[in-house]
Amino acid sequence: PLVFREVLPYIVAGIIILAIALAFYFLLRPKKLAATEERKVAKKVIPPHVLALDKLTQLEQKDLPKQGEFKSYYSELTEILREYLEGRFNISALESTSDEILREYRKLPGSQSFTQDMENLLLEADLVKFAKMKPVAEELPRQLDWVRRFVQENTPKEEPAPPEPETQESSWMILGVFGVPLDQLEFASPWILGFLVLPALFVGWHIWQRKRLYPSLRLPILKGVEAHTRPVRGFVKQYLFLLRALAAVFLIVALARPQTAFSEEEISTEGIDIMLSMDLSGSMRARDFRPNRLEAAKKTASDFVDGRETDRIGLVVFAGESFTQCPLTSDHQVVKKLLSELKFDLLEDGTAIGAGLANSVLRLRESEAKSKVVILLTDGQNTVSSPVDPYTALDIAKEYQVRVYTIGVGTIGQAPYPFQSPFGGYVEKMVDVKIDEDLLKEIAKETGGQYFRATNQKALKNIYEEIDKLEKSRVNVQQYTRRTEEFYPFLLLGGILFLLEVLLRYFVVRHFP
């Protein structure tokens, strides 16, 4: 049977071969351009109710009504309410009118008990801010108390936070020599690692020549020689070559200059602010697009949003009136969600192109982006005499330097349209397609945009792709790489093992070549 001393050389040889295999793995593995993990700093988010209550306390301490600052008082009070509505109920209240806020709030479950008081507060605030109405001073504290009570009663119950998943360190990091992260090592001179084959050959030669170099004498009893044996020195002498081989492995790795690289990217963007203005009139039910014009437009616009990673995008809809479905935001998931929720009968029927364009432009008026764009999609003619006609909206767009791309949706000639059947269900009839192309062309030309006609779904997709090419955001990326030399631990270990081998050879074993 084999004894441990006979097996030990093979174990050490296996370890050396494994170390060589790992070295070649690091040499041949594909290098990543960005070798660093993105470090995300978790920002502490203040709950909306805490923020609102704190601001209400500060407003109460200012005592603006006693100073006659009624307009400032109402501005701050309604701003607090709007911020809370946006943070708590995800209502785009900061950039919406009072009517739009109330319309969205009424859709929430359990909103009936607060709707009337909220409507009174917002109406009175608008009258004070814009009509210069002087409020009753005694009523002002009551309104602040109502906002505080509204916030407190709508505060969600705190739920225990889910336990954070335990992060497991990389096994390679734990096996790092003196803290060197082995999974991130790169070599400045990887060709030197080819010399690792020499220690392996050296160990193999010693194992092969072991019986010749160190012959054994088998005796039935050891009583006559026990006093004259020196097992420690003999054992050390047999395995000194392993120290020399290990020292050579570490020194060769050190000569290859292992390094760790830390890369950073500095990204500067010049994003574009884009408002999607979409027609929700009844004529968008036409089925020359499948399943209808509106659904086809929603799908194509959603794909367009996916491709604008660095831009802020908003959504305005119009029919007989106009409504801001989503203000400008960089959260594209919100835009796509609100886009998917568009449906008919949200607004009074009709086609108010002027109102849709004017509303979109006004959402961009305070934008600081170098490029401001409106993509207006419609399938008809302006049929509503709203306060803002299309030509007035055009002048507003030119005043704010907003570029408008217009899209006319519909086949040439006639298109199938579903009509309610007296026997239930729907029946399709052909209707004329009437698009005011002259108006759409003029709007696009005067603002520096382009007019497109989409007669089918493929053409509509191609139009959005063309606009995507015309309005490219500028992104500058600068990459910085810092390298740290990591050969010191390997050099130190190799030197220690080599020195240990010399000391054992000449002072313990006393073997001189």
Side-chain angles (χ1 to χ4, degrees), residues 369-390:
K370 291 191 175 181
S371 185
K372 296 176 281 189
V373 173
V374 171
I375 302 176
L376 187 146
L377 182 145
T378 182
D379 69 340
Q381 301 171 318
N382 192 75
T383 59
V384 178
S385 56
S386 62
V388 182
D389 62 84

Side-chain angles (χ1 to χ4, degrees), residues 286-297 299 416 428 457:
R287 295 178 178 174
D288 46 352
F289 292 69
R290 292 297 175 186
N292 55 49
R293 291 173 183 172
L294 176 60
E295 293 301 322
K299 174 65 172 62
E428 286 188 359
Q457 285 172 271

Side-chain angles (χ1 to χ4, degrees), residues 287-397:
R287 295 178 178 174
D288 46 352
F289 292 69
R290 292 297 175 186
N292 55 49
R293 291 173 183 172
L294 176 60
E295 293 301 322
K298 286 163 54 176
K299 174 65 172 62
T300 311
S302 181
D303 294 339
F304 174 79
V305 171
D306 283 334
R308 312 297 302 191
E309 296 180 357
T310 61
D311 300 327
R312 293 196 306 166
I313 299 178
L315 177 62
V316 165
V317 294
F318 64 92
E321 55 185 336
S322 179
F323 172 70
T324 302
Q325 180 77 353
C326 179
L328 283 171
T329 178
S330 56
D331 190 343
H332 292 177
Q333 294 302 318
V334 172
V335 179
K336 291 173 62 178
K337 180 178 182 299
L338 294 174
L339 186 63
S340 66
E341 293 175 355
L342 292 182
K343 58 185 179 180
F344 296 106
D345 302 325
L346 284 178
L347 302 170
E348 181 183 350
D349 199 16
T351 306
I353 295 176
L357 177 57
N359 194 6
S360 301
V361 172
L362 291 176
R363 294 299 173 190
L364 292 167
R365 69 185 186 278
E366 296 181 358
S367 169
E368 296 180 358
K370 291 191 175 181
S371 185
K372 296 176 281 189
V373 173
V374 171
I375 302 176
L376 187 146
L377 182 145
T378 182
D379 69 340
Q381 301 171 318
N382 192 75
T383 59
V384 178
S385 56
S386 62
V388 182
D389 62 84
Y391 293 99
T392 302
L394 171 59
D395 292 336
I396 297 173

Side-chain angles (χ1 to χ4, degrees), residues 9 15 22 57 77 91 144 165 197 318-319 359-360 370 372-373 377 408 419 431 473 479 488:
I15 294 173
L22 290 174
T57 302
L77 183 61
I91 297 175
L144 188 144
V197 71
F318 64 92
N359 194 6
S360 301
K370 291 191 175 181
K372 296 176 281 189
V373 173
L377 182 145
F419 287 92
V431 297
S473 302
Q479 185 171 351
Y488 303 105

Side-chain angles (χ1 to χ4, degrees), residues 8-10 27 32 42 59 84 87 138 164 186 193 219 250 263 265 300 395 397 404 413 476 493 496 498 507:
L8 181 61
Y10 299 97
L27 171 63
K32 298 180 181 178
L59 178 60
Y84 178 74
E138 290 76 12
E164 296 184 359
E186 298 177 2
L193 294 176
L219 299 172
F250 284 112
S263 299
E265 285 186 348
T300 311
D395 292 336
V404 183
N476 296 323
L493 280 174
I496 290 174
F498 183 76
F507 293 97

Side-chain angles (χ1 to χ4, degrees), residues 3 13 43-44 62 72 92-93 124 179 203 235 237 243 256 280 321 328 341 351 370 374 440 472-473 479:
V3 297
K43 297 181 179 179
K44 186 177 180 181
K62 288 182 181 178
S72 299
S92 55
E124 187 167 343
V203 171
F235 178 78
K237 182 179 179 180
L243 288 177
L280 277 187
E321 55 185 336
L328 283 171
E341 293 175 355
T351 306
K370 291 191 175 181
V374 171
L440 299 179
K472 276 297 181 186
S473 302
Q479 185 171 351

